[in-house]
Amino acid sequence: MDKLAIQGGQSLRGEIRISGAKNAALPILCAALLSADTLHLDNLPKLRDISTTLTLLGHIGCQISLDERGGIDLCSAQLARLEAPYHLVKTMRASILVLGPILTRYGEARVSLPGGCAIGSRPVDLHIKGLQAMGADIQIEHGYILARANRLQGARIVMENVTVTGTENLMMAATLAQGVTVLENAAREPEVVDLARCLVSMGARIQGVGTDTIVIEGVERLHGAQHTILPDRIETGTYLVAAAMTQGDIVLTHSSTDTLDVVLDKLREAGAQIHCAGDRIALRMDVRPQAVNLRTAPYPAFPTDMQAQFMAMNCIASGVGRITETIFENRFMHVQEMQRLGARIEIEGNTALVRGVERLQGATVMATDLRASASLVLAALVAEGETVIERIYHIDRGYECIEEKFNQLGAKVRRVH
Ligand code: UD1
């Protein structure tokens, strides 16, 4: 299994390009199942979760071809199997996103229930309840969701929790339903908005995206389209925090500056100087970071996917920072590993109190989930000596060419096979 060996102590300097957003690309790839025509996508990140999704779409019968510029054509003219098998779903929960599209287009779908997940119990009950409200008959048998519906019917669905993939699944299902669907308490994440833009370019009728009430008027069919995936705000935020922690001076290109307001505010509070112009973000940090307090919540509040990275920054900041996680239980798995590097963190319920130390010390640590792994890379960049991060397959799920990008900024990161 691959490891990363990181020699700490370098200030990050230079310029890198931000990739397309994983969490927008995953539902948009699944949207290709909604039409018999070709969906062309650009700016798809090269990640393991993307190749898992392409394997899943190929299994279902979607024809996939890459063009010389890195774009991809997906054609779901005829589907061979209306199912997502366990061995693919268990490696990536987002596989559940094929449920809505297959069911609404073909009237039946068989999708494995996702297994346990490292960051707390992440049920899919709201996906199921929403589809049932649209008239689907859903049974759970042998670990699979079996869904049937002659044609889904528009409905008013009030979601108990804000769920990102739940909103996306139901929005896709509603595009081909009969009548109007209203999703209340819908997720407002930029990735949901990007999916809606793609669906609209395929002929869907959707209003209210980016607000908590999305209205979808079902149509008979969707057609082919071209769509460019929006930049990854979490990848952007991760490199910005890395630069702030190492007192660096970096520029990120091909990013988006309007989806990161709270993250940029928190970095400024920590002492960073940030300048945004077009799709470029520059960050310079001349001082030791100041600890920040934060609380995760659905967009536009502070993203749970940036919590672990800010925890890493607080570990070496001056002062005490309080971090409260409200989205996922058990999303403090990085804490034990950071403590191995010398961090001073106390956990009480869903709050972590982090007392900044002058320096961390390199050690062998283990990556546990995607963002936790990223936070260990950040901690390693400022730790004295070498840190070895094991089980980095988690990082490859969500960060394109992570060692190349960090090395381009002057870090010393080596992949050990
Ligand atoms: C998505 C993101 C993930 C991010 C998360 C929160 C993708 C592929 N993944 O995950 O990176 O961390 O949003 O921003 O986009 N819940 C239920 N029942 C459900 C669904 C969710 O109770 O049917 C709960 C979850 O347990 C959690 C909360 O709702 O407490 C939010 O989860 P959700 O937004 O669904 O996360 P994902 O869409 O899986």
Side-chain angles (χ1 to χ4, degrees):
M1 241 181 264
D2 285 6
K3 301 173 185 180
L4 286 182
I6 300 173
Q7 191 69 39
Q10 319 299 319
S11 261
L12 298 189
R13 274 161 214 286
E15 183 175 302
I16 52 166
R17 179 190 174 126
I18 291 302
S19 303
K22 168 180 89 75
N23 285 353
L26 297 179
I28 289 172
L29 285 169
C30 297
L33 297 170
L34 287 164
S35 168
D37 301 338
T38 299
L39 177 63
H40 179 87
L41 300 177
D42 291 305
N43 204 29
L44 203 63
K46 293 184 188 66
L47 298 170
R48 224 179 40 141
D49 273 6
I50 299 297
S51 44
T52 305
T53 307
L54 292 176
T55 305
L56 174 59
L57 294 179
H59 171 91
I60 293 168
C62 175
Q63 303 286 320
I64 301 163
S65 55
L66 295 170
D67 69 23
E68 58 290 348
R69 291 187 1 269
I72 192 167
D73 279 330
L74 302 137
C75 179
S76 307
Q78 270 184 334
L79 298 188
R81 300 184 200 88
L82 306 178
E83 62 150 27
Y86 176 64
H87 71 273
L88 291 172
V89 179
K90 78 170 181 199
T91 60
M92 194 189 63
R93 283 179 46 84
S95 311
I96 189 80
L97 285 165
V98 300
L99 177 61
I102 301 181
L103 177 64
T104 197
R105 182 153 160 231
Y106 281 87
E108 60 175 287
R110 181 171 177 271
V111 174
S112 171
L113 280 169
C117 178
I119 55 173
S121 72
R122 293 168 80 179
V124 290
D125 56 316
L126 301 175
H127 301 233
I128 292 175
K129 274 188 198 156
L131 293 172
Q132 283 170 327
M134 296 169 79
D137 170 43
I138 299 193
Q139 309 291 332
I140 307 291
E141 274 175 28
H142 304 291
Y144 276 78
I145 303 167
L146 305 180
R148 278 178 198 283
N150 281 338
R151 184 174 179 193
L152 291 175
Q153 304 294 314
R156 177 169 170 267
I157 301 167
V158 182
M159 279 179 281
E160 204 176 303
N161 268 336
V162 178
T163 155
V164 176
T165 48
T167 301
E168 292 164 345
N169 227 343
L170 297 179
M171 183 164 72
M172 289 193 279
T175 57
L176 294 178
Q178 187 162 41
V180 174
T181 300
V182 180
L183 300 178
E184 305 259 16
N185 199 23
R188 293 182 281 169
E189 268 65 4
E191 294 76 19
V192 176
V193 177
D194 203 38
L195 168 64
R197 278 199 199 114
C198 177
L199 293 170
V200 167
S201 65
M202 294 168 75
R205 297 202 187 129
I206 306 177
Q207 286 185 333
V209 276
T211 76
D212 60 8
T213 305
I214 302 179
V215 181
I216 307 116
E217 187 188 336
V219 295
E220 291 296 322
R221 61 181 293 277
L222 295 181
H223 51 70
Q226 183 281 334
H227 183 78
T228 302
I229 308 287
L230 97 163
D232 197 314
R233 64 193 166 104
I234 306 300
E235 188 195 26
T236 303
T238 302
Y239 285 103
L240 292 177
V241 175
M245 287 175 71
T246 60
Q247 298 187 26
D249 188 358
I250 66 163
V251 175
L252 304 178
T253 69
H254 298 81
S255 187
S256 69
T257 53
D258 54 356
T259 54
L260 274 158
D261 296 291
V262 182
V263 169
L264 298 185
D265 284 351
K266 286 286 162 194
L267 283 165
R268 287 193 180 102
E269 200 181 313
Q273 299 166 45
I274 299 176
H275 297 286
C276 302
D279 65 358
R280 294 164 70 86
I281 305 184
L283 180 143
R284 181 176 158 170
M285 185 80 159
D286 297 326
V287 292
R288 180 180 176 194
Q290 188 66 41
V292 293
N293 297 329
L294 61 91
R295 185 184 179 84
T296 66
Y299 191 83
F302 192 92
T304 174
D305 285 351
M306 284 301 303
Q307 178 256 105
Q309 298 88 318
F310 271 75
M311 174 111 57
M313 185 170 75
N314 274 351
C315 286
I316 50 98
S318 77
V320 181
R322 176 185 290 272
I323 294 185
T324 304
E325 171 61 55
T326 75
I327 307 283
F328 293 116
E329 52 193 91
N330 201 14
R331 207 177 194 181
F332 282 147
M333 307 242 295
H334 39 284
V335 168
Q336 280 185 20
E337 304 301 309
M338 287 178 181
Q339 284 166 336
R340 289 180 49 73
L341 300 173
R344 289 178 62 200
I345 307 170
E346 284 161 41
I347 304 256
E348 211 171 281
N350 65 349
T351 296
L353 205 63
V354 189
R355 288 172 214 282
V357 295
E358 289 277 340
R359 54 186 61 84
L360 298 173
Q361 291 150 15
T364 298
V365 291
M366 202 164 72
T368 47
D369 68 56
L370 173 54
R371 307 304 169 183
S373 315
S375 71
L376 293 175
V377 174
L378 303 195
L381 290 175
V382 294
E384 275 176 353
E386 187 175 76
T387 298
V388 175
I389 307 179
E390 299 190 334
R391 298 205 186 164
I392 55 146
Y393 54 85
H394 291 292
I395 298 185
D396 295 330
R397 286 187 41 210
Y399 287 90
E400 182 172 340
C401 305
I402 190 161
E403 68 267 35
E404 280 94 335
K405 289 192 184 184
F406 271 121
N407 289 338
Q408 206 175 320
L409 294 173
K412 292 190 175 167
V413 182
R414 195 161 47 87
R415 185 175 287 255
V416 184
H417 295 291

